[in-house]
Amino acid sequence: MLDASPEAYELKLYLAKIVCEPGWRWQQREQPLANYDLFYVWSGEGEVVLNGKPFPVEKGSCFLFRPGDRTSATHNPQKPLVLTYIHFDVNVPVTLIPKPYRILEDTFEFEHLLARYVRLFLVKTFAAEEEARLVLKQLIIHLLRHDLEEPAPRKASNQLTESLHEVANYIRQHPGETHRVDDLAARAGLSPRYFSVKFKELIGSSVQTYMIKTRIERAQHLLLHAGMNVTEVADALGYRDIFFFSRQFKQYTGKSPSEIR
């Protein structure tokens, strides 16, 4: 499905976000599914049977049913399922298709896309169907990313994550300043050692490497788009030695600043 353009997605009218009634159940029909069905559980408890295999479902449970699948479902009336389903088809051959089932732990972005998709059809929005195809493509990419990428390290708490992202953003917004680890750690409300460990775990590089990387990225932008020469860029970004700047720039980009300029 990743190789299908958004225009290849055929949107079906059957879509909704619903709170299932206490007596709700999804009975298996004689005929298997005729198209794809993206089925996501926002909350509640229940069970989905896919091609004879039962799956307990809860918040974050996500299925991509395929044409030919046989499905049924029940739920706990005391904890009814709240779910979104989206029926669609693809009018070109596809090779890379998300797995039939997964549990999403980080649900915020996926739920935002689901809500956007459903809302597009509730309000007569200009170009709603075109946008819906784009959103559906994003949902499929999200599922494939979940299926194919290596599991991320155990996530830090939301507050810690936000603090570290704020610091990383602060560094990126002020690439020419000299940032001391002690000062950045204090900004995040952490000890310097713990801050350094968690920063590398979450951001993917050490504080020092991240500072250099953002400075060099800014240097590239200034050389390409701001009309500044190498000396002016080095000075703007806090380099006292233009030769050191040129050496570091080449180390990270493979080219000298003058080649970029």
Side-chain angles (χ1 to χ4, degrees):
M1 284 185 180
L2 188 60
D3 46 344
S5 68
E7 292 76 16
Y9 288 84
E10 296 181 357
L11 310 182
K12 305 298 181 181
L13 294 178
Y14 305 106
L15 63 115
K17 179 182 178 182
I18 61 170
V19 179
C20 295
E21 301 80 6
W24 173 88
R25 61 177 177 170
W26 184 12
Q27 290 183 307
Q28 181 172 303
R29 298 182 178 182
E30 290 186 12
Q31 297 298 323
L33 290 177
N35 45 49
Y36 292 95
D37 185 2
L38 181 58
F39 181 102
Y40 176 78
V41 176
W42 295 72
S43 62
E45 294 179 357
E47 182 182 76
V48 168
V49 179
L50 172 59
N51 297 326
K53 182 177 180 179
F55 294 87
V57 296
E58 58 187 13
K59 177 178 174 56
S61 295
C62 184
F63 294 83
L64 180 64
F65 302 128
R66 309 181 187 195
D69 282 346
R70 295 185 178 273
T71 57
S72 63
T74 56
H75 73 150
N76 179 355
Q78 305 302 316
K79 296 182 179 179
L81 292 180
V82 178
L83 57 88
T84 291
Y85 57 86
I86 297 173
H87 290 276
F88 67 97
D89 230 324
V90 185
N91 60 22
V92 296
V94 292
T95 53
L96 192 56
I97 303 175
K99 295 176 182 178
Y101 173 69
R102 83 276 301 137
I103 296 180
L104 300 175
E105 294 183 2
D106 186 0
T107 61
F108 179 81
E109 182 179 355
F110 194 76
E111 290 181 353
H112 174 75
L113 290 170
L114 284 173
R116 179 62 184 168
Y117 184 94
V118 172
R119 190 162 57 247
L120 283 168
F121 291 95
L122 295 178
V123 181
K124 299 298 183 180
T125 308
F126 170 73
E129 191 164 325
E130 287 79 359
E131 184 178 351
R133 289 192 179 93
L134 295 171
V135 173
L136 183 55
K137 176 84 174 188
Q138 286 181 280
L139 287 164
I140 295 301
I141 290 173
H142 193 105
L143 295 181
L144 285 169
R145 186 177 294 142
H146 181 274
D147 293 345
L148 300 175
E149 288 186 351
E150 291 295 323
R154 185 173 59 87
K155 290 185 179 297
S157 69
N158 288 339
Q159 184 176 356
L160 177 59
T161 299
E162 289 177 8
S163 296
L164 293 173
H165 277 150
E166 191 279 328
V167 170
N169 190 51
Y170 177 78
I171 294 171
R172 184 167 290 279
Q173 289 176 346
H174 303 85
E177 295 184 10
T178 301
H179 301 289
R180 296 174 60 248
V181 172
D182 287 5
D183 295 336
L184 295 173
R187 188 179 184 88
L190 304 171
S191 70
R193 179 177 176 78
Y194 187 71
F195 167 76
S196 297
V197 170
K198 288 300 178 181
F199 188 94
K200 185 173 183 179
E201 180 181 304
L202 184 68
I203 305 301
S205 63
S206 69
V207 181
Q208 186 66 28
T209 299
Y210 186 79
M211 287 191 290
I212 296 171
K213 180 174 177 288
T214 56
R215 194 176 295 135
I216 296 302
E217 287 176 354
R218 180 60 177 166
Q220 285 181 287
H221 178 83
L222 293 176
L223 288 167
L224 285 168
H225 304 294
M228 298 169 66
N229 62 38
V230 176
T231 301
E232 290 170 333
V233 170
D235 184 63
L237 293 174
Y239 287 92
R240 297 179 179 275
D241 185 340
I242 191 172
F243 298 106
F244 176 71
F245 166 65
S246 298
R247 188 163 60 250
Q248 193 172 78
F249 188 96
K250 188 169 185 177
Q251 179 185 351
Y252 275 78
T253 67
K255 297 182 178 180
S256 68
S258 56
E259 290 179 277
I260 298 291
R261 181 72 174 83

